[in-house]
Amino acid sequence: MTMEATRWIALEALLDEWNVPYELVDGVELSEIQTKDYSQVRNSEHRAPKENVEQYALQMSNGAVFPPIVLAANDHAIIDGNTRAAAARRNGWTSFPAYLIKPADGKRARAIGATINMMGGARLSSIELEACASDFLDAGFVDAEIARRLGRTPEWARKFRKRSEFTARAGEHKGAAQIRPLVAEKLADITLDAPLNAVLDAVAAGRVKKLDRPWADKIVDAVRETRSERGAMDAVAAILDEITPTEQGAPPKLRTNQAMARTMKRAEALIDALSVLDVPLVDPLAGQYRDTLVRLRGVTESVLDRMPVVSDVA
């Protein structure tokens, strides 16, 4: 037994927009379908949840119509439809309707999978979402398009791009791990490698205990005002000489304690909880509180950015 192929108009519109060749076939042998990481947008633990498979299998057995699965044409690697394929197998089916598509590469395949999921699939985790955003960046999409495809705001996409640029340029530098995301977004505006490395060197060497956003703003502004790399290096050196642990808000010999660590964890948890504000709100009642919550997130990030680095506690 199998399911009759029905056209997926929204998917076809997406593939046409991206100039991705495709073919809709009545049935692909389920035994030929492969699960490969290169084409998967979800982490393995989030693919085909058991409870969803059972629900889909019951609905299929009662005649419910599901959209075709989406496969890479060359090797039948699954791009979208893990749960549908698993449910069909559970019902003893041997084949299932499928779109065979020809994306240019794995990054484009994952970008297609991410967009399909945002059309109506289960919400992506924050890690999966950022991995998708990276694929979109590598595929050459602009911030507005990334935001639209992933259901986020253009500001979220812009900040992610900045953090990605910083990570790519900082590479394996030891100082990069000590830079907070808000500061990384700002330091990405330093277009010259030498002054950026000078900042990272100072952080790694302990000259700067914790670089906060105001100091990062000052460094970036100073570099922009210079006309040469040598001038930029001199400007950065002068500002780094100004920065002291006291001015950073952290006494030089601060004793780390469990209360401080717990406070930081709670602040970070609050920022994570408020991250959903980047998703467009459609509920008018929820929209009334958006501005207040956005300000709360900004204040929390500012406070956290100024707190000294402390050790984790159990």
Side-chain angles (χ1 to χ4, degrees), residues 8 29 83 86 90 106 149 160 165 184 208 212 229 248 269 303:
W8 190 350
E29 294 296 319
T83 304
R90 185 177 181 84
R149 294 300 182 187
F160 180 81
E165 291 172 357
V208 179
D212 62 20
E229 186 171 79
Q248 285 285 297
V303 171

Side-chain angles (χ1 to χ4, degrees), residues 30 71 122 130 253 305 310:
L30 293 173
L71 308 174
E130 293 201 351
K253 295 183 179 180
D305 191 54
V310 299

Side-chain angles (χ1 to χ4, degrees), residues 191-264:
T191 58
L192 299 173
D193 289 338
L196 177 61
N197 286 329
V199 174
L200 295 176
D201 289 342
V203 172
R207 282 185 59 195
V208 179
K209 296 301 181 183
K210 188 173 77 67
L211 187 66
D212 62 20
R213 182 60 183 264
W215 280 112
D217 286 338
K218 188 172 182 178
I219 290 172
V220 171
D221 290 343
V223 171
R224 283 174 173 167
E225 292 174 359
T226 61
R227 297 183 179 181
S228 66
E229 186 171 79
R230 181 67 264 170
M233 291 293 291
D234 291 341
V236 169
I239 294 175
L240 291 175
D241 286 341
E242 294 180 40
I243 304 176
T244 67
T246 299
E247 289 174 320
Q248 285 285 297
K253 295 183 179 180
L254 176 72
R255 289 186 61 184
T256 299
N257 56 68
Q258 291 188 341
M260 180 72 74
R262 284 195 295 269
T263 300
M264 289 190 67

Side-chain angles (χ1 to χ4, degrees), residues 242-302:
E242 294 180 40
I243 304 176
T244 67
T246 299
E247 289 174 320
Q248 285 285 297
K253 295 183 179 180
L254 176 72
R255 289 186 61 184
T256 299
N257 56 68
Q258 291 188 341
M260 180 72 74
R262 284 195 295 269
T263 300
M264 289 190 67
K265 286 180 178 294
R266 289 172 180 169
E268 291 168 345
L270 177 59
I271 291 175
D272 289 341
L274 293 176
S275 65
V276 297
L277 296 176
D278 286 317
V279 177
L281 297 178
V282 295
D283 184 348
L285 182 61
Q288 295 178 15
Y289 305 103
R290 185 187 184 100
D291 290 345
T292 299
L293 292 175
V294 167
R295 287 195 296 271
L296 174 59
R297 183 176 63 182
V299 171
T300 304
E301 290 176 337
S302 178

Side-chain angles (χ1 to χ4, degrees), residues 51 55 72 82 105 171:
E51 61 275 15
Q55 180 182 8
N82 290 287
D105 51 33

Side-chain angles (χ1 to χ4, degrees), residues 21-195:
Y22 63 88
E23 174 188 7
L24 174 60
V25 297
D26 289 333
V28 169
E29 294 296 319
L30 293 173
S31 60
E32 297 178 359
I33 296 175
Q34 302 187 65
T35 301
K36 296 185 176 182
D37 287 340
Y38 88 83
S39 63
Q40 291 286 306
V41 67
R42 292 190 181 279
N43 295 335
S44 58
E45 64 271 19
H46 295 154
R47 300 171 193 165
K50 181 179 179 180
E51 61 275 15
N52 291 0
V53 171
E54 293 176 351
Q55 180 182 8
Y56 279 27
L58 177 61
Q59 292 171 342
M60 286 178 184
S61 65
N62 288 327
V65 177
F66 284 80
I69 57 179
V70 183
L71 308 174
N74 62 319
D75 60 1
H76 286 185
I78 194 164
I79 295 173
D80 179 74
N82 290 287
T83 304
R84 300 193 293 279
R89 292 190 185 99
R90 185 177 181 84
N91 284 343
W93 297 5
T94 58
S95 63
F96 200 88
Y99 277 95
L100 303 181
I101 71 173
K102 298 179 180 179
D105 51 33
K107 292 177 181 178
R108 182 57 64 101
R110 292 191 298 273
I112 292 170
T115 304
I116 294 174
N117 271 275
M118 297 310 296
M119 287 179 180
R123 183 176 177 180
L124 299 175
S125 70
S126 58
I127 294 177
E128 292 167 343
L129 196 67
E130 293 201 351
C132 292
S134 292
D135 287 333
F136 276 111
L137 283 178
D138 291 342
F141 288 92
V142 298
D143 296 347
E145 181 69 2
I146 294 172
R148 183 168 72 90
R149 294 300 182 187
L150 295 181
R152 311 296 279 186
T153 65
E155 180 66 7
W156 180 91
R158 185 192 69 79
K159 289 182 176 181
F160 180 81
R161 181 186 294 275
K162 288 294 184 182
R163 293 197 301 272
S164 299
E165 291 172 357
F166 172 82
T167 299
R169 293 181 58 205
E172 300 297 324
H173 198 295
K174 291 171 57 178
Q178 303 177 48
I179 301 294
R180 293 185 180 277
L182 285 173
V183 177
E185 292 165 12
K186 188 63 182 179
L187 293 180
D189 290 331
I190 300 177
T191 58
L192 299 173
D193 289 338

